[in-house]
Amino acid sequence: MNAPRIEGHVAPGFEKVVDAMASNFDERDEVGASAAAFVGEELVFDIWAGEASPGVAWTEDTIVPVFSTTKGATALVIQVLVDRGLIDVGRPVCEYWPEFAQHGKEGITVEHVLTHTSGVLRVENYQALVGDGAFLNDLDRIAEVIANCKPDFPPSAYIAYQAVTYGFILGELVRRVDGRSLGTVWRQDIAAPHGIDFHIGLEPGEHGRVARLIDAADPTEEAVQFYLSMFTPDTLQGQAMMVSRAGLAAVADRANDPATLTAEIPAAGGVGSARAIATWYAILANGGELRGRRLVSPESIAAHTAERSSGTDMVSMLESRFGLGYALPTELTAYADIPTAFGHSGLGGSVGFADPATNIAFGYTMNQIRYPGPTDPTRAGVLVQALYSSLS
């Protein structure tokens, strides 16, 4: 397709990023997207283009579900509460949440959850809960279900990506230590003070701004077939992601559901803009402070982004590396070639990261889900390459 007009702001010297975004529309099936980056405290570009939904243009205020890119925001909530002395990552989760100790989970620490080494991957009989908006919006019921989960592996035995349980465990942990829900802490203590248009639990009055996600364009493509065959209700991988009987090919409809948008799903339910994602990572890229407002300490950033786990992930079956909730560079990430970066990506393409070595923060969102093959550049990766090449 011909690239639509790229809207927004680009600082002098960063025009390559506009060309990169246009190439995503021309060559990589982009439908609607936004991208933003900070260098230091300067927002060097904040751009968007395409359609948010059929016949509706993507605008400056468009927000979109970003799946597991949300995990980076959740990691930041935990980091803030650790800085306040409310959470010790070395302590067992059950010391804060006694009911979690069921089925041999008493040795699982907060760090195990943050590093995807807890072994708690699956929710029994989850198919009855998939698409159940009442369940997703009932934090007490979620806590009861998650407390009853049985581990697949002993803690620290493997890296095994907690696609959904990561957020529900940490969400209840936050409620136990703070009294507020994780989405409320995010909104009141991080998003609102820093002007971050990102939501873990979106108010119904904001739903009109949300771009409509579109499932992977060509299910016959080899890369798509790989994902569709691997993530099914009959595999450990698919069960960890709570894939419905309709399969991964129908994931967009679940994310577009108003009940899902409203729910607090701290592992995969965040809704926001590229500018918002870049802003929270800009705080971390600049020592924990942005525009005169401090959120966390430099020492906290170093502690939370140091490697805590690495190895072949039992869910993705690829190499993974994690700090305390933040994904470190591997071939899975759009920042694979930036050794000092940390962040998180989401199913189908979205991503955010910080690079403290260059004081760079980046965010990318889109509505067309895409699963690129091993030699096919990601849309975010093309933008990141243009960003870094603009610095030289």
Side-chain angles (χ1 to χ4, degrees):
M1 65 174 289
N2 292 325
R5 177 181 172 84
I6 312 298
E7 305 285 352
H9 158 74
V10 181
F14 290 88
E15 294 83 2
K16 290 179 184 178
V17 179
V18 175
D19 295 336
M21 178 171 272
S23 77
N24 283 339
F25 284 90
D26 288 335
E27 303 170 21
R28 299 176 193 92
D29 304 318
E30 198 77 279
V31 174
S34 67
F38 285 80
V39 178
E41 296 202 352
E42 181 185 1
L43 183 62
V44 295
F45 63 84
D46 178 17
I47 57 177
W48 56 89
E51 287 191 334
S53 57
V56 178
W58 197 291
T59 72
E60 181 178 9
D61 295 325
T62 298
I63 53 179
V64 66
V66 297
F67 294 111
S68 286
T69 298
T70 313
K71 288 184 173 72
T74 293
L76 183 52
V77 171
I78 300 300
Q79 184 178 348
V80 167
L81 297 184
V82 170
D83 263 22
R84 293 176 182 171
L86 295 177
I87 295 173
D88 179 341
V89 298
R91 292 176 62 184
V93 174
C94 65
E95 289 191 15
Y96 303 102
W97 175 13
E99 297 88 343
F100 185 76
Q102 297 177 60
H103 305 300
K105 299 197 297 297
E106 63 275 1
I108 294 171
T109 65
V110 178
E111 180 171 345
H112 285 134
V113 180
L114 288 165
T115 59
H116 297 271
T117 58
S118 77
V120 182
L121 306 180
R122 297 186 283 182
V123 176
E124 287 190 13
N125 303 314
Y126 77 86
Q127 288 291 342
L129 304 175
V130 172
D132 183 345
F135 168 73
L136 292 175
N137 284 275
D138 187 339
L139 297 182
D140 290 334
R141 189 175 169 205
I142 288 170
E144 181 180 353
V145 167
I146 296 300
N148 195 46
C149 285
K150 298 174 182 177
D152 282 285
F153 309 113
S156 295
Y158 302 102
I159 293 183
Y161 185 62
Q162 302 148 190
V164 178
T165 55
Y166 167 97
F168 286 149
I169 296 170
L170 296 176
E172 185 59 21
L173 172 65
V174 169
R175 284 213 302 166
R176 296 292 175 127
V177 303
D178 183 272
R180 295 173 292 169
S181 70
L182 188 147
T184 302
V185 174
W186 168 264
R187 183 180 69 253
Q188 294 179 347
D189 296 7
I190 302 174
H194 291 275
I196 299 172
D197 189 11
F198 189 89
H199 312 263
I200 304 174
L202 184 67
E203 292 292 331
E206 300 290 328
H207 289 194
R209 298 195 290 129
V210 179
R212 188 164 186 81
L213 287 176
I214 307 164
D215 283 310
D218 182 4
T220 64
E221 188 179 345
E222 182 180 359
V224 177
Q225 278 298 306
F226 168 77
Y227 280 91
L228 296 185
S229 63
M230 184 175 180
F231 295 99
T232 77
D234 301 314
T235 65
L236 170 68
Q237 291 82 4
Q239 291 164 19
M241 293 182 67
M242 294 182 71
V243 173
S244 72
R245 285 295 170 195
L248 197 59
V251 71
D253 282 346
R254 285 173 56 193
N256 291 329
D257 189 314
T260 303
L261 296 174
T262 303
E264 290 192 17
I265 307 174
V271 185
S273 66
R275 178 176 59 257
I277 296 168
T279 301
W280 90 65
Y281 281 112
I283 297 170
L284 298 173
N286 287 283
E289 182 178 356
L290 188 67
R291 299 164 181 157
R293 186 182 293 272
R294 177 161 295 282
L295 181 63
V296 292
S297 67
E299 295 77 15
S300 167
I301 296 170
H304 282 254
T305 62
E307 183 178 297
R308 302 290 186 110
S309 64
S310 64
T312 301
D313 193 302
M314 298 298 289
V315 173
S316 71
M317 303 310 296
L318 296 170
E319 188 72 13
S320 289
R321 299 171 59 228
F322 287 99
L324 292 174
Y326 299 109
L328 305 181
T330 66
E331 63 180 298
L332 279 174
T333 64
Y335 45 94
D337 298 326
I338 309 168
T340 50
F342 58 87
H344 219 288
S345 57
L347 180 75
S350 64
V351 67
F353 71 86
D355 177 9
T358 55
N359 304 114
I360 282 177
F362 173 83
Y364 163 76
T365 66
M366 77 303 136
N367 58 355
Q368 173 64 72
I369 294 171
R370 186 169 182 264
Y371 305 120
T375 62
D376 185 14
T378 67
R379 293 163 294 177
V382 170
L383 294 163
V384 171
Q385 183 179 22
L387 165 60
Y388 276 78
S389 69
S390 299
L391 301 174
S392 55

